[in-house]
Amino acid sequence: MIKKILWVCILCILLFVLLPSSITAPKVLNVFKLTEDPDVIVRGMSGSALTVDISFGDTPLENWINELDAPYPLLLVDIAWAKRFSDSSALIKKKNIPVALLGSEGDLYEQNPELFAKQIEEFTELFGRKPLWFRTSDEVFPKTLQEMAWKHEVNSLGSTLRWKGGKLPTPKDGEILTVALERKATITFEDIERLRASREFHSVEDVLFPTDIKTKKIPE
């Protein structure tokens, strides 16, 4: 009887160890790669996401970041700006505001293939982690740049609409809206707050992969 039990146990162990290796595992998407091939994300499935490109701004911008409340927009920051205004960068980290890399113009990466890796390294040193998202300043993504981003496990993020102020855009399901705080920009912080108040915003990840969580109330 004991022998039979031992043989059954051994058989179960062998099945547990060997069976998974004999089955082809389903393709699992890397958590850092949100597309299956090099590509640029410009729209999601549902809801709205707000992203803010930051390459210019001093005290008023720091005050806005300080007063910013959740749900936070995704801030894409230029490395040169982040180094120049280290207090603002530290504030972004302290408040745990989602932050990503705002790069140079798209064509510059073809002229200087090492530029992308350098910016990723500088961002990682500054914010303590590699960016999940990357956007060029002009939203031009040459194919070679898309492949570089894919290799570094960073997702290329465009936008559905770049809003420059004025009349509020009509809400569209899955939209990724962008406002740019740059030297020549005419948009104000009041404009951004007006846009934020115009609809419910979610994270980029939630807009790309919406989840419907149902909860049951426990009877008292």
Side-chain angles (χ1 to χ4, degrees):
M1 183 67 180
I2 295 175
K3 265 189 175 181
K4 284 184 179 180
I5 294 173
L6 286 173
W7 276 112
V8 170
C9 290
I10 291 169
L11 183 61
C12 289
I13 291 170
L14 287 173
L15 286 173
F16 179 78
V17 172
L18 297 176
L19 188 59
S21 61
S22 65
I23 300 173
T24 302
K27 185 175 182 182
V28 178
L29 198 64
N30 189 302
V31 293
F32 291 102
K33 294 177 179 178
L34 301 183
T35 60
E36 293 187 350
D37 298 292
D39 202 357
V40 181
I41 296 171
V42 297
R43 195 179 192 88
M45 298 288 290
S46 67
S48 302
L50 177 61
T51 67
V52 181
D53 291 357
I54 301 177
S55 60
F56 179 77
D58 43 31
T59 303
L61 175 55
E62 184 176 346
N63 292 338
W64 177 75
I65 294 171
N66 188 51
E67 295 171 3
L68 195 61
D69 55 2
Y72 297 126
L74 173 65
L75 306 183
L76 292 106
V77 301
D78 172 79
I79 289 295
W81 173 86
K83 287 182 176 180
R84 192 179 308 120
F85 297 98
S86 56
D87 287 347
S88 294
S89 301
L91 186 57
I92 291 171
K93 288 176 62 177
K94 181 181 178 182
K95 296 187 66 171
N96 201 28
I97 299 173
V99 62
L101 173 61
L102 179 65
S104 311
E105 294 179 355
D107 289 344
L108 291 179
Y109 295 94
E110 292 190 304
Q111 299 171 26
N112 182 5
E114 297 178 359
L115 177 60
F116 182 75
K118 181 176 181 291
Q119 291 177 336
I120 292 293
E121 183 180 348
E122 290 176 331
F123 181 97
T124 304
E125 289 178 0
L126 194 61
F127 290 100
R129 59 180 176 81
K130 188 165 65 172
L132 174 63
W133 303 105
F134 163 75
R135 172 184 289 156
T136 58
S137 59
D138 56 1
E139 291 202 25
V140 173
F141 296 85
K143 193 63 181 176
T144 52
L145 176 58
Q146 294 180 36
E147 291 170 354
M148 278 190 282
W150 177 257
K151 179 181 176 182
H152 284 82
E153 298 186 326
V154 178
N155 296 284
S156 300
L157 181 66
S159 54
T160 311
L161 174 69
R162 293 181 70 86
W163 187 63
K164 298 180 180 180
K167 183 180 178 182
L168 289 169
T170 302
K172 294 181 180 178
D173 228 14
E175 64 186 356
I176 299 173
L177 300 181
T178 296
V179 294
L181 297 173
E182 51 193 2
R183 187 174 294 276
K184 296 180 180 179
T186 56
I187 200 161
T188 66
F189 296 112
E190 288 75 16
D191 289 329
I192 298 176
E193 290 307 306
R194 187 160 56 92
L195 177 61
R196 292 184 69 215
S198 69
R199 67 206 71 189
E200 183 179 359
F201 282 106
H202 306 275
S203 69
V204 173
E205 293 83 0
D206 284 346
V207 168
L208 289 174
F209 305 108
T211 55
D212 183 16
I213 301 175
K214 295 181 180 179
T215 57
K216 292 182 179 179
K217 187 175 181 181
I218 300 174
E220 296 181 359

